[in-house]
Amino acid sequence: MASIPGKIDFTCESTGCMIYRIHVQCPCVSLRSKHRLMMDTLLQTAKRNAMKYSKPKDQMFAYGTAGFRNRSDLLDSVLYRMGLLAVLRSKLTKGTIGVMITASHNPEQDNGVKLMEPMGEMLIPEWEIFATELANAKDEDVATVLQRIIASASIDTTIPANVFFARDTRSSSNTLAQCLQEGIETLHGKYSDFGLLTTPQLHYMVRCHNSQGAYGQPTEQGYYNKLSKAFLNFRKLVSSGSGDRGYSPKIIVDGANGVGALKVPQLISFLEGTLNITVCNDGTTGKLNERCGADFVKIQQRSPDGLSVIADTKCVSYDGDADRIVYFYVDEDGSFHLLDGDKIATLFAGYIQHLLTLSGLELNLGLVQTAYANGSSTRYASQQMKVPVACTKTGVKHLHHQATEYDIGVYFEANGHGTILYSKRAEELISSTCGNTSLSESQRHAASCLECLVNLTNQTVGDALADMMLVEAILYARGWTIHQWDHSYTDLPNRQLKVKVKDRTVITTTDAERKVTTPPGLQSAIDEEVAKHQHARSFVRPSGTEDVVRVYAEAGSQILADKLAYDVAIHVFNLAGGKGDMPRPPDA
């Protein structure tokens, strides 16, 4: 007699009758098997779609601090695959992942993509490796690489996935967003398309959503509401005796013809007329980042095109996606003055230290810089302000990580990318101090001011809009002109050069990239050149994206800084396999 499907049969020894016993299968096992089969199907669909968004032949991609960046016409495959990866990261973290389509300060013809962790941080290093592997996989190997990532990270693929994404103003961003969206949909992830946002706004919204609103409302209006409320409350707290001193609310903003220029008017509408902001380079005529923006102003040490400078008036430059900011002004003699990330960082750290002293709060404050920080800023912070200074490798992710070692960590790169991090302990202590009636009124007042600064800070990433608001709040409280801020310390003259080499990997460094370990003899040559000048230093480091070695030098005068940079560049060319023309002397 045939067995009944799905049942176990046996014969009764006393009667010889066939007995049927129902085999009860665990529903969890059944569901897992069903889902595993479905995921296998989805992975095969991902493989077929990879053919549609085929990887350019012989093109290699590398995920770094800035994510992926390249010519926009080469990125369809990358965006599709990052949609797939974002779904897997969401499943593993059980949170919403952010994806921003931008190439920041790069030219308009470029584009890029970066992923964000659930609390708005940058993608963790282990997953940068997965991103690079997936982006470079052959089309026919995409499913295999996805399976390997799932196995390696022990991802429960039954967990639902959710992705937030946005883009900057580049003409290529809409097409790339469609590629990303199809990647998300292929693995049945859910998504929210926020359209045009600054990169920091998306970081903020991702954190708000995953904190269930504890950090704020995950909308663009929620972003403006939080910043403006903190800014206006702070001004009320410090208004006595501040507004009638040297501070001026007039600001000219260079929007780099990017998305930040579109967002400033929206922010202004929440500020009740407290700031007088004029936006130039708003994208109506000029090209994105072309002879304008924070990177141009920082490197060229001059005002951007498209902006009519008024003597002694505060000017601000954002970069293309508004995660960098530098201040500058031109004095009555026509001289250009730059207040970069170093000046912003010391302004923040100095005022926070002032509030900590007034409030009596015992919190560990630290300042984090890179080797590119001007030596004068480091000495000013450590010797005059008495704030501990740490130096890390170049790259915002390194500074951000180091800043978490403090109760309050201020970090900035000289290029204007930075923010302030407050530990949970710091936020709780500040909040409790505000309402502690056993303390003096002045202590509670200082703590309340500090609490406003906490809420005025985008702690997820450097944010040009939020950082500008912080600068203006502190200048208002100090009653300072931009001259007074600028004169807090004097930058040492410096120069940056690039040397083309055959292979940038021949340069290896240590001591937060301030010392060279290879090739042999290069560091001793640099030391000999530096020893020829007073108040001088120089270092070299390989580019992260091209076969170029970057040279930095500072000295007591601009002429000497230029000469030192040139002399070091010659050593790099000779000892590290220079390519093309020799570096040119400063007076050439």
Side-chain angles (χ1 to χ4, degrees):
M1 185 176 182
S3 299
I4 297 176
K7 298 181 180 180
I8 298 176
D9 55 71
F10 64 95
T11 302
C12 176
E13 292 181 354
S14 60
T15 65
C17 295
M18 299 293 292
I19 305 295
Y20 299 94
R21 183 168 57 202
I22 295 175
H23 172 61
V24 181
Q25 190 174 32
C26 172
C28 295
V29 173
S30 177
L31 285 174
R32 279 198 296 270
S33 298
K34 182 179 179 181
H35 188 85
R36 188 161 49 246
L37 181 61
M38 183 174 69
M39 180 53 66
D40 289 343
T41 302
L42 294 180
L43 293 178
Q44 291 309 309
T45 303
K47 176 181 176 179
R48 286 195 301 273
N49 287 345
M51 307 292 184
K52 175 181 175 182
Y53 300 106
S54 185
K55 176 183 172 294
K57 187 178 180 182
D58 300 326
Q59 181 68 47
M60 297 300 292
F61 303 99
Y63 194 106
T65 299
F68 291 112
R69 288 188 192 170
N70 215 311
R71 285 199 342 250
S72 60
D73 61 324
L74 298 174
L75 291 174
D76 284 10
S77 66
V78 173
L79 268 292
Y80 170 71
R81 296 176 190 201
M82 290 308 100
L84 302 172
L85 191 72
V87 169
L88 296 186
R89 186 65 185 154
S90 177
K91 288 176 179 291
L92 180 64
T93 61
K94 300 179 182 179
T96 295
I97 295 298
V99 183
M100 185 69 194
I101 302 170
T102 182
S104 190
H105 58 275
N106 280 34
E108 188 169 6
Q109 63 267 26
D110 292 347
N111 216 323
V113 59
K114 61 177 85 172
L115 276 66
M116 304 167 190
E117 293 288 308
M119 284 297 106
E121 314 100 315
M122 295 182 180
L123 186 67
I124 64 170
E126 293 85 352
W127 275 68
E128 290 182 5
I129 297 171
F130 288 153
T132 299
E133 182 183 7
L134 183 58
N136 290 308
K138 295 178 181 179
D139 297 341
E140 61 270 24
D141 293 337
V142 164
T144 302
V145 172
L146 291 172
Q147 288 172 325
R148 188 156 57 240
I149 293 171
I150 291 169
S152 176
S154 301
I155 299 172
D156 182 352
T157 56
T158 65
I159 302 295
N162 193 38
V163 180
F164 283 2
F165 66 89
R167 70 211 69 156
D168 69 11
T169 56
R170 295 165 199 269
S171 58
S172 60
S173 291
N174 286 336
T175 299
L176 293 177
Q178 293 171 5
C179 301
L180 174 73
Q181 181 178 318
E182 183 153 352
I184 297 168
E185 291 175 331
T186 295
L187 295 186
H188 288 189
K190 294 182 179 180
Y191 63 86
S192 296
D193 179 357
F194 285 91
L196 291 175
L197 289 179
T198 70
T199 295
Q201 285 178 327
L202 185 62
H203 280 268
Y204 169 87
M205 291 179 194
V206 168
R207 181 164 182 169
C208 289
H209 180 77
N210 286 302
S211 65
Q212 287 75 51
Y215 193 67
Q217 293 303 307
T219 63
E220 190 173 353
Q221 176 152 334
Y223 170 88
Y224 299 129
N225 275 329
K226 182 177 179 180
L227 291 186
S228 60
K229 182 180 178 181
F231 180 76
L232 296 173
N233 286 344
F234 179 85
R235 282 177 63 99
K236 290 175 184 177
L237 284 170
V238 302
S239 60
S240 177
S242 295
D244 57 351
R245 288 185 277 162
Y247 174 79
S248 168
K250 184 173 179 59
I251 310 164
I252 302 174
V253 172
D254 161 28
N257 293 310
V259 66
L262 305 181
K263 303 305 180 183
V264 173
Q266 296 179 54
L267 176 62
I268 292 172
S269 69
F270 287 80
L271 298 180
E272 301 178 1
T274 52
L275 295 178
N276 177 9
I277 301 177
T278 301
V279 181
C280 301
N281 293 325
D282 61 1
T284 54
T285 54
K287 288 187 176 181
L288 178 68
N289 295 321
E290 186 171 277
R291 299 183 63 81
C292 61
D295 203 50
F296 175 84
V297 172
K298 168 66 177 172
I299 293 173
Q300 298 299 323
Q301 302 275 304
R302 52 153 289 186
S303 301
D305 290 359
L307 186 149
S308 298
V309 177
I310 302 172
D312 297 327
T313 299
K314 284 178 296 187
C315 299
V316 169
S317 277
Y318 302 161
D319 67 340
D321 65 338
D323 64 359
R324 293 188 190 183
I325 179 174
V326 296
Y327 272 72
F328 64 93
Y329 69 99
V330 175
D331 62 26
E332 293 182 349
D333 296 328
S335 298
F336 175 85
H337 299 261
L338 177 69
L339 294 87
D340 60 9
D342 297 339
K343 278 277 170 71
I344 296 171
T346 53
L347 178 73
F348 289 178
Y351 189 68
I352 290 171
Q353 184 190 54
H354 169 68
L355 293 179
L356 290 175
T357 300
L358 291 178
S359 65
L361 284 163
E362 295 184 357
L363 292 171
N364 182 20
L365 170 67
L367 175 60
V368 185
Q369 300 178 320
T370 71
Y372 285 106
N374 194 277
S376 289
S377 73
T378 307
R379 283 189 289 274
Y380 175 70
S382 60
Q383 297 176 15
Q384 290 187 238
M385 291 168 45
K386 306 299 182 184
V387 173
V389 179
C391 184
T392 72
K393 292 172 61 177
T394 302
V396 177
K397 62 184 178 183
H398 301 299
L399 287 90
H400 190 102
H401 177 74
Q402 183 64 41
T404 62
E405 298 296 313
Y406 302 99
D407 290 321
I408 304 176
V410 180
Y411 75 81
F412 264 85
E413 291 188 299
N415 62 25
H417 193 147
T419 188
I420 310 168
L421 302 185
Y422 295 86
S423 68
K424 183 179 180 181
R425 172 178 176 268
E427 290 190 13
E428 291 174 348
L429 194 54
I430 291 166
S431 180
S432 63
T433 302
C434 293
N436 188 345
T437 56
S438 67
L439 299 175
S440 68
E441 183 178 347
S442 62
Q443 286 178 303
R444 296 197 304 273
H445 179 269
S448 295
C449 290
L450 192 51
E451 188 171 47
C452 287
L453 295 187
V454 172
N455 291 322
L456 189 50
T457 303
N458 186 346
Q459 296 187 53
T460 63
V461 73
D463 183 339
L465 273 71
D467 287 342
M468 180 181 74
M469 302 282 283
L470 278 165
V471 168
E472 295 304 316
I474 294 171
L475 293 181
Y476 179 80
R478 294 287 202 191
W480 281 1
T481 65
I482 195 165
H483 287 270
Q484 289 171 296
W485 174 24
D486 189 26
H487 293 157
S488 56
Y489 67 85
T490 302
D491 278 330
L492 282 168
N494 58 86
R495 179 63 62 199
Q496 295 185 43
L497 297 176
K498 294 195 294 185
V499 180
K500 291 183 179 180
V501 294
K502 297 173 185 175
D503 179 9
R504 68 183 183 274
T505 62
V506 301
I507 299 278
T508 57
T509 63
T510 187
D511 189 23
E513 300 179 317
R514 290 176 290 190
K515 297 288 184 183
V516 171
T517 52
T518 62
L522 180 54
Q523 186 58 52
S524 59
I526 295 172
D527 292 340
E528 288 176 10
E529 296 297 345
V530 169
K532 297 175 183 178
H533 308 279
Q534 287 188 327
H535 307 298
R537 71 183 181 100
S538 181
F539 67 90
V540 304
R541 56 178 289 270
S543 166
T545 57
E546 54 184 332
D547 282 326
V548 160
V549 176
R550 303 187 187 279
V551 176
Y552 178 89
E554 60 184 43
S557 72
Q558 191 62 60
I559 292 175
L560 293 178
D562 291 347
K563 184 178 187 310
L564 177 58
Y566 167 72
D567 291 339
V568 170
I570 290 295
H571 289 300
V572 170
F573 190 91
N574 291 332
L575 296 173
K579 184 175 69 173
D581 296 333
M582 292 272 288
R584 298 172 63 184
D587 55 353

